[in-house]
Amino acid sequence: MASHIILPKEEEEEEEVEEGLGVAVEADHDSPEPPRYRHLQPAQKALPFSATCVRISRDSYPNLRALRNASATSLRDDDAAFAKLDEGDYGYVLDDVQHLTDYLPELPTFPNPLQDHPAYSTVKQYFVNADDTVPEKVVVQKNSPRGVHFRRAGPRQRVYFEPEDVKACIVTCGGLCPGLNTVIRELVCGLSHMYNVNDVFGIQNGYKGFYSSNYLPMTPKSVNDIHKRGGTVLGSSRGGHDTHKIVDNIQDRGINQVYIIGGDGTQKGAYEIFKEIRRRGLKVAVAGIPKTIDNDIAVIDKSFGFDTAVEEAQRAIDAAHVEASSAENGIGLVKLMGRYSGFIAMYATLASRDVDCCLIPESPFYLEGEGGLFEYIERRLKENNHMVIVVAEGAGQDLIAKSIPVADQLDASGNKLLLDVGLWLTHKIKDHCKSKKMEMTIKYIDPTYMIRAIPSNASDNVYCTLLAHSAIHGAMAGYSFTVGMVNGRHAYIPFHRVTSTRNKVKITDRMWARLLSSTNQPSFLSKEDIMEAREAERLANRLPVPAGSSEHTKKHSASVLSNGEK
């Protein structure tokens, strides 16, 4: 399989002289004319970087690892075959998405129907410039490289589907999240109203619906008010992903645009569907819209539904505060969602200002001894006569496992089933206070399903609309991608970038420091914990080992690199 790499100038010339590689240039996917290939002659002036994409064999490029390092991108071998990394001046790297012309080079293009749409006729420069990209990191220093960029989302002047030929389908997978119905509504209405697409179908009950259920016809009228409801009108499920069965049905039914809404596991499934579609040479665009209430999707600023979840979490925290402050030595304990990432707990804590302690998966804590949670609880109750504790569902799982040995169990999506940290912590606090002969009242509140089952708020409704429209524009232009907001701009992101790692709270970051300052809680971290967190962050950003680091840190770094951890 070929990868798509722009060689640095010196290496490009060296490769052509020494190995005589045949290098072909194709026009940018947004160019008015369909792409045509021609061989560059030495005397010919090369096209500018932004209008070229050089194709070479992955096996013939020995410096792929160096290019991965330069772009701060860690690729598995099977992902490298689909990577499109384009280099420019000043350390600029475009981590581009797949396009239909990568494997169907002679496809015709058509004028975008939006150019004749009355709603957009007054918009100046409505179509996105072919060279527009979005930086992954917006804060840079004067002499630092420009870094990784992603292709900017938005409508293109030329599209690769005629509206009457489009047959689109929409599927929702995984757990519920506020905003699912809004995304479904805007996909249906956007395809119909912007691009005059009439054939849109809903896949019921997740991935298995592709091959086990009838496809549900959807029209703007049928989805008119679904955004006012929680959940998903299409139904959802975990698991059920059978790539060959799914693509067989896509092919048999003539589907040529697939919109997949779900979390990182769902996006991995979308990536496998795209790979099989490409292997079969089908003219099908796959657009992923990331969904996770935990906000743990990598690269993007936030996932839809997160604002709603934080807002709803306030109700539970307020209730816990009322209960705690109305009793002598009252404790309100609230468990919020966050299997691997504690963003909901952190932001809900910062927004509330009534929380005295926040526990998240990224920050280890301990119960007994000096500086432990029990000591802090005693001190806080003595000072204030009540306290509120917020705990993310994935926090303290290592402590629970030590006290309650249990075999690892997985759900249908392959996620480890977690033990109830809220219930466990409630009993532990009760036992401790009883041993200290302390009078105490504790109220445990678990609003998990109340939070994720409600309709999205105004902020998330707007975000869902923009995500859906960006997905439609990208699919019509022939791209396959995951869409998301990066530094405030919508961008098309390669599937492997959002599935290879998770977004987590950085406990060495200022935001976590703000939380500790707000709650006045101890960090519960040892010096070794802090060093390991900094080391993990350094490796994720591929920074050099700081001068004067301990031998333990250097050995740990070498161990992590040798094991391929990020």
Side-chain angles (χ1 to χ4, degrees):
M1 192 70 69
S3 70
H4 308 256
I5 311 291
I6 289 291
L7 295 174
K9 285 188 177 180
E10 299 79 9
E11 295 186 30
E12 182 179 325
E13 293 169 359
E14 182 180 342
E15 290 288 311
E16 288 183 355
V17 172
E18 294 184 6
E19 297 185 24
L21 289 175
V23 181
V25 178
E26 68 174 306
D28 187 272
H29 302 314
D30 300 332
S31 60
E33 296 300 322
R36 294 289 184 268
Y37 298 99
R38 60 187 176 84
H39 289 280
L40 287 176
Q41 303 299 327
Q44 230 173 341
K45 185 177 179 182
L47 293 175
F49 154 73
S50 59
T52 63
C53 181
V54 179
R55 293 185 170 203
I56 66 171
S57 165
R58 175 167 60 92
D59 296 332
S60 67
Y61 183 44
N63 294 322
L64 179 59
R65 184 174 296 277
L67 187 55
R68 293 176 188 168
N69 293 341
S71 64
T73 303
S74 179
L75 296 175
R76 300 177 305 176
D77 287 342
D78 55 342
D79 289 336
F82 293 92
K84 294 172 66 175
L85 299 172
D86 300 350
E87 282 193 316
D89 295 332
Y90 311 109
Y92 174 99
V93 176
L94 171 62
D95 199 352
D96 208 355
V97 293
Q98 293 287 316
H99 192 268
L100 289 173
T101 55
D102 295 334
Y103 59 96
L104 299 171
E106 299 300 323
L107 288 178
T109 63
F110 313 97
N112 193 322
L114 285 176
Q115 66 186 21
D116 302 317
H117 198 295
Y120 301 97
S121 60
T122 59
V123 180
K124 183 180 179 182
Q125 214 171 15
Y126 181 70
F127 295 110
V128 172
N129 189 295
D131 292 341
D132 285 357
T133 58
V134 178
E136 182 177 21
K137 292 185 178 180
V138 71
V139 177
V140 296
Q141 276 128 24
K142 181 178 179 181
N143 297 318
S144 61
R146 293 176 64 189
V148 177
H149 288 60
F150 302 106
R151 188 170 289 276
R152 184 184 176 191
R156 269 58 183 171
Q157 285 187 318
R158 308 290 294 186
V159 294
Y160 282 78
F161 296 94
E162 290 194 279
E164 58 268 24
D165 295 332
V166 172
K167 201 171 183 182
C169 69
I170 305 167
V171 64
T172 55
C173 305
L176 297 183
C177 178
L180 281 170
N181 281 333
T182 305
V183 174
I184 294 170
R185 181 190 188 278
E186 296 310 318
L187 285 172
V188 175
C189 293
L191 283 164
S192 177
H193 296 156
M194 293 192 297
Y195 287 97
N196 304 314
V197 173
N198 296 317
D199 291 330
V200 184
F201 300 90
I203 308 301
Q204 301 178 77
N205 302 318
Y207 275 133
K208 66 181 180 182
F210 276 99
Y211 53 84
S212 65
S213 303
N214 291 325
Y215 288 20
L216 182 69
M218 307 187 81
T219 65
K221 185 176 181 180
S222 70
V223 299
N224 183 51
D225 63 351
I226 63 173
H227 62 291
K228 299 175 184 177
R229 296 181 243 160
T232 164
V233 294
L234 294 178
S236 185
S237 68
R238 298 187 184 276
H241 187 278
D242 187 318
T243 304
H244 290 282
K245 281 186 179 181
I246 291 171
V247 179
D248 284 344
N249 277 268
I250 289 172
Q251 188 172 2
D252 292 344
R253 293 174 182 264
I255 300 293
N256 50 23
Q257 290 185 13
V258 183
Y259 296 92
I260 300 175
I261 311 167
D264 58 345
T266 301
Q267 299 306 312
K268 288 176 183 176
Y271 191 20
E272 294 304 315
I273 290 171
F274 163 74
K275 289 178 181 178
E276 181 62 17
I277 284 171
R278 173 166 173 161
R279 189 185 69 79
R280 299 188 189 187
L282 305 178
K283 185 187 176 185
V284 180
V286 180
I289 302 174
K291 174 245 20 156
T292 168
I293 201 168
D294 294 348
N295 197 37
D296 61 357
I297 296 288
V299 180
I300 64 175
D301 294 350
K302 65 177 178 179
S303 52
F304 72 82
F306 177 70
D307 282 353
T308 306
V310 171
E311 185 176 299
E312 187 66 14
Q314 299 301 296
R315 302 178 189 273
I317 293 174
D318 289 345
H321 183 251
V322 170
E323 289 284 352
S325 59
S326 300
E328 183 182 1
N329 286 338
I331 298 177
L333 178 61
V334 180
K335 186 184 79 172
L336 298 176
M337 297 188 76
R339 175 180 291 272
Y340 303 108
S341 305
F343 286 102
I344 292 180
M346 180 174 74
Y347 277 84
T349 295
L350 283 168
S352 170
R353 299 290 170 172
D354 285 330
V355 179
D356 299 285
C357 185
C358 177
L359 305 172
I360 61 173
E362 296 89 339
S363 182
F365 68 93
Y366 56 97
L367 301 179
E368 299 175 351
E370 185 179 352
L373 179 61
F374 289 158
E375 182 185 78
Y376 175 61
I377 289 174
E378 290 179 31
R379 185 172 75 248
R380 191 64 183 148
L381 290 178
K382 188 176 294 185
E383 292 171 351
N384 208 34
N385 198 41
H386 71 274
M387 73 178 299
V388 176
I389 302 172
V390 168
V391 59
E393 62 179 327
Q397 291 296 313
D398 54 336
L399 295 178
I400 306 176
K402 290 177 183 177
S403 59
I404 310 175
V406 62
D408 289 346
Q409 294 181 327
L410 305 177
D411 64 17
S413 297
N415 298 313
K416 182 179 177 181
L417 292 176
L418 301 179
L419 297 169
D420 191 335
V421 64
L423 197 59
W424 174 81
L425 200 54
T426 298
H427 288 302
K428 285 290 184 181
I429 293 172
K430 282 183 178 179
D431 291 343
H432 174 75
C433 291
K434 186 176 181 181
S435 68
K436 293 284 186 175
K437 294 182 171 51
M438 285 177 57
E439 290 292 330
M440 180 272 301
T441 301
I442 187 166
K443 301 297 183 183
Y444 173 41
I445 300 174
D446 181 358
T448 296
Y449 297 107
M450 294 175 61
I451 287 175
R452 74 178 202 171
I454 63 172
S456 52
N457 63 12
S459 171
D460 272 324
N461 270 335
V462 173
Y463 187 29
C464 290
T465 300
L466 297 180
L467 283 173
H469 288 187
S470 293
I472 293 169
H473 295 319
M476 290 296 296
Y479 294 106
S480 289
F481 55 87
T482 292
V483 67
M485 190 163 63
V486 181
N487 293 319
R489 293 286 184 177
H490 288 254
Y492 299 138
I493 307 163
F495 287 114
H496 66 82
R497 286 303 304 273
V498 298
T499 59
S500 59
T501 187
R502 283 190 176 92
N503 185 30
K504 292 189 175 185
V505 173
K506 295 178 181 176
I507 59 173
T508 57
D509 196 22
R510 281 195 297 272
M511 187 60 79
W512 185 243
R514 292 184 186 110
L515 181 139
L516 297 179
S517 175
S518 168
T519 61
N520 289 317
Q521 71 185 67
S523 70
F524 303 114
L525 295 175
S526 65
K527 185 177 180 181
E528 288 74 18
D529 290 329
I530 297 172
M531 292 299 292
E532 284 188 15
R534 287 176 177 169
E535 180 64 12
E537 185 177 352
R538 187 193 67 77
L539 290 171
N541 293 298
R542 302 192 184 279
L543 300 172
V545 178
S549 294
S550 68
E551 199 62 33
H552 169 76
T553 301
K554 292 178 181 178
K555 286 180 180 178
H556 178 70
S557 173
S559 171
V560 170
L561 289 172
S562 66
N563 288 321
E565 296 176 19
K566 290 183 287 295

